[in-house]
Amino acid sequence: MIRREARLRREYIYRKSVEEKQRAIEEKRQRVKAAIDDNKAIPTELRDEAIDLLKDTKWGGQINEVDDEYRWAGTKDPKVVITTSRDPSSKLKAFAKEMRLVFPNAQRMNRGNYDLKMLVQSCRGNDVTDFVVLNETRGVPDGITVCHLPFGPTAFFTIQNVVMRHDIPDSGHMSEQFPHLIFNNLNSKVGQRLTSVLKHLFPVPKPGSSRIMTFDNQEDFISFRHHTWKKGEGGDIELTEVGPRFELKPYKILRGTLDNLGAAETEWALRPYMNSAGKKQQLSTGPVDLGDE
């Protein structure tokens, strides 16, 4: 079983490397085409290979997603397992219970003394699609990790300004309908990647669902809000906040799972303070700004 998982992992990494090469070639081709269409000079670094890029139409002018981790999403409902760090406080336990209600079809697991590697392997063997870990500092929830199975990616977020359901005035009833999702101002490559990670935690909603969850990015803080709606008198739409509410701050995306963090490749990492130009170039594949390129 271990050898089979290792082989599948190697095959996955190889397919992802092929996909990255295709994406790099396509981006160069688009830059050359844009320069020609605008009657501008071809970028200096692309002049030697410009003719070959335009001749090579092997991929039909599109990036070929060889091994997109979410290509089967929507064919069946996701299966989410939520757990916490060891020895959770009462507040973290309450937050985990509320997060279980946020994700339809989710199950909450008591961490106990189980090792994360063991839990991930168990979830993988039971066809769990996403493994979510909640963390805290001094009794305050401050972190969430979303690990997509079987091979990744794994996204790390900090959590701020957590407000529980019972602390929201006039909070509505917690509906169990599959929610409609709103993602606002997540337009960059990193933002789109995070959108894929978050939206596939939820099943496809029915058109008549009155449950709405919003992920609104403002200055790289993603505000999460949970509402239900109904038609009031005169046909106006009335929104009722259900909760919980909090802000997410992404800081790392790995191409791997929690049981092989040492071997996982860093797809993107937040590095807000850099003095070296060489280090700044590392962000060329994933800008810090989630809204704009």
Side-chain angles (χ1 to χ4, degrees):
M1 186 66 180
I2 297 177
R3 291 182 178 179
R4 179 176 180 273
E5 288 185 4
R7 175 177 58 80
L8 293 175
R9 177 65 190 170
R10 289 195 300 270
E11 292 175 356
Y12 167 78
I13 294 175
Y14 170 74
R15 293 194 298 268
K16 292 300 293 184
S17 66
V18 172
E19 179 182 327
E20 287 302 316
K21 291 178 182 178
Q22 293 176 7
R23 180 178 286 107
I25 292 173
E26 180 61 24
E27 288 177 354
K28 290 180 180 180
R29 183 184 295 112
Q30 292 300 328
R31 291 177 62 189
V32 173
K33 286 184 177 180
I36 294 175
D37 293 341
D38 296 338
N39 199 23
K40 295 181 179 179
I42 296 175
T44 305
E45 65 273 15
L46 299 178
R47 291 177 182 175
D48 293 339
E49 52 184 336
I51 295 178
D52 293 333
L53 288 171
L54 292 177
K55 284 182 178 180
D56 184 11
T57 57
K58 180 179 179 181
W59 304 110
Q62 296 181 353
I63 298 173
N64 185 19
E65 299 290 347
V66 174
D67 191 53
D68 181 27
E69 301 94 338
Y70 299 100
R71 65 189 183 278
W72 301 116
T75 59
K76 61 180 180 179
D77 294 341
K79 188 177 180 181
V80 181
V81 169
I82 300 174
T83 191
T84 63
S85 54
R86 285 198 175 102
D87 298 323
S89 65
S90 58
K91 187 170 184 178
L92 186 64
K93 290 180 181 178
F95 184 59
K97 291 180 181 179
E98 295 192 1
M99 292 301 291
R100 186 192 68 80
L101 297 175
V102 166
F103 303 119
N105 300 329
Q107 295 180 348
R108 184 174 63 89
M109 178 186 297
N110 293 327
R111 175 68 180 274
N113 293 321
Y114 291 110
D115 182 74
L116 274 181
K117 183 176 181 179
M118 182 187 303
L119 291 177
V120 171
Q121 291 176 350
S122 176
C123 290
R124 186 183 287 117
N126 287 277
D127 296 327
V128 172
T129 60
D130 294 275
F131 182 63
V132 178
V133 182
L134 305 176
N135 300 97
E136 65 179 344
T137 299
R138 297 177 181 176
V140 179
D142 67 348
I144 181 171
T145 303
V146 180
C147 176
H148 183 67
L149 300 176
F151 301 123
T154 299
F156 298 82
F157 304 84
T158 58
I159 304 179
Q160 300 181 16
N161 305 324
V162 175
V163 179
M164 311 291 277
R165 290 191 65 242
H166 61 268
D167 294 327
I168 297 177
D170 302 322
S171 61
H173 174 69
M174 176 68 83
S175 170
E176 295 186 6
Q177 293 178 318
F178 295 171
H180 294 285
L181 305 177
I182 299 175
F183 291 91
N184 182 52
N185 198 27
L186 289 161
N187 306 318
S188 70
K189 290 181 180 179
V190 178
Q192 292 173 0
R193 182 62 158 163
L194 293 173
T195 298
S196 295
V197 171
L198 293 172
K199 75 179 182 181
H200 290 110
L201 294 170
F202 302 88
V204 178
K206 295 182 179 179
S209 174
S210 60
R211 193 180 183 193
I212 302 172
M213 295 187 182
T214 305
F215 297 86
D216 179 34
N217 171 45
Q218 299 296 331
E219 298 182 356
D220 292 347
F221 284 90
I222 304 174
S223 298
F224 172 79
R225 297 295 184 270
H226 180 193
H227 294 85
T228 58
W229 66 271
K230 65 179 181 179
K231 285 188 177 181
E233 297 180 0
D236 295 334
I237 301 298
E238 297 179 358
L239 284 178
T240 302
E241 185 172 2
V242 178
R245 76 164 76 131
F246 49 83
E247 271 69 51
L248 295 171
K249 177 76 172 181
Y251 64 91
K252 187 187 294 184
I253 303 175
L254 296 181
R255 285 181 180 156
T257 52
L258 290 173
D259 59 336
N260 66 343
L261 292 181
E265 177 186 354
T266 300
E267 181 174 337
W268 172 81
L270 176 63
R271 300 180 179 92
Y273 303 109
M274 297 185 198
N275 297 321
S276 152
K279 290 184 178 180
K280 289 182 180 179
Q281 293 177 0
Q282 296 177 7
L283 291 177
S284 61
T285 59
V288 174
D289 192 345
L290 303 179
D292 301 317
E293 291 286 0

